[in-house]
Amino acid sequence: MNPNQDKVTLETVIAGFQEGNQIPRTPERAARFNEICQENLKLQMELNSTYHTPEEIIQLMEQITGHSVDESFHLFPPFYTDFGKNIQFGQNVFVNSGCRFQDQGGIKIGDGVLIGHNVVLATINHDLDPAQNRKNHYAPITIGNHVWIGSNATILSGVTIGDWAVVAAGAVVTRDVPPRTIVGGVPAKVIKTID
């Protein structure tokens, strides 16, 4: 890195994931991204390799995400994320064991959300055009309040799940889910609405 150049900030790295950004892909930005990922891996190893009290888990999740995590948050490790710094949790969130959050595109989880075993939240997709050499495309995942996501479900990039919705176990969610709706299947389709 050029010592005369300002250090690349976390905010600059995150802004670089937004579609249509004007931030150049520089070696310095790539190095900062790699540094953040390595710090994240170290924290995940600490989280996942030994017992921690609920309070210690919250402290570790604050370090992983770089955001305040409410004391009502509950997590059963192991938990995995590739970047970590682009996740926000609401209050009274429960995350069961084995979940994987690919968060570079941004993950926002509302209040009262229940996330089952082995759920995958994937905010990255790849370009299909061979000329683009599988270029990454990032889009955020937004999970509304009081959403229940069943075990082994996968939520893909750009999806918003409305308040009080339910995602059935094993579903692959490729498009937005309206509030008070139950979806299931591959790809997920509306099963019923909740009165």
Side-chain angles (χ1 to χ4, degrees):
M1 177 183 270
N2 182 341
N4 296 324
Q5 185 172 352
D6 292 336
K7 185 172 180 174
V8 177
T9 66
L10 171 62
E11 292 75 19
T12 301
V13 173
I14 290 174
F17 299 138
Q18 297 170 2
E19 288 291 322
N21 73 71
Q22 300 300 314
I23 298 171
R25 299 184 81 163
T26 64
E28 293 81 12
R29 189 172 140 244
R32 179 66 177 127
F33 169 74
N34 187 56
E35 178 183 302
I36 292 166
C37 290
Q38 293 305 308
E39 291 169 3
N40 182 33
L41 288 172
K42 183 178 177 183
L43 289 166
Q44 284 178 78
M45 289 298 295
E46 169 66 21
L47 173 69
N48 296 332
S49 65
T50 189
Y51 172 78
H52 295 284
T53 66
E55 295 79 16
E56 291 169 337
I57 288 173
I58 289 171
Q59 291 173 355
L60 283 164
M61 289 303 288
E62 286 181 337
Q63 292 176 58
I64 288 169
T65 65
H67 297 286
S68 176
V69 175
D70 192 78
E71 63 184 14
S72 62
F73 176 82
H74 291 285
L75 167 74
F76 288 170
F79 172 80
Y80 305 97
T81 179
D82 58 349
F83 183 65
K85 298 294 190 248
N86 212 359
I87 304 171
Q88 296 179 10
F89 294 105
Q91 298 179 343
N92 297 305
V93 170
F94 173 71
V95 179
N96 220 324
S97 62
C99 291
R100 290 163 170 78
F101 289 10
Q102 183 190 54
D103 68 293
Q104 293 169 47
I107 296 172
K108 186 174 181 181
I109 298 173
D111 297 336
V113 172
L114 304 173
I115 300 177
H117 290 94
N118 303 315
V119 166
V120 174
L121 304 180
T123 66
I124 304 173
N125 205 343
H126 298 284
D127 206 300
L128 296 176
D129 180 358
Q132 295 296 318
N133 195 26
R134 299 286 186 243
K135 176 185 173 186
N136 288 349
H137 293 280
Y138 308 91
I141 292 173
T142 303
I143 299 173
N145 297 323
H146 307 287
V147 169
W148 174 19
I149 302 174
S151 296
N152 296 302
T154 299
I155 315 296
L156 297 183
S157 63
V159 167
T160 296
I161 300 178
D163 295 349
W164 294 100
V166 176
V167 175
V172 176
V173 183
T174 61
R175 59 182 64 174
D176 291 352
V177 176
R180 295 181 174 267
T181 302
I182 301 172
V183 298
V186 180
K189 294 180 172 53
V190 173
I191 295 172
K192 67 182 283 187
T193 57
I194 303 167
D195 295 331

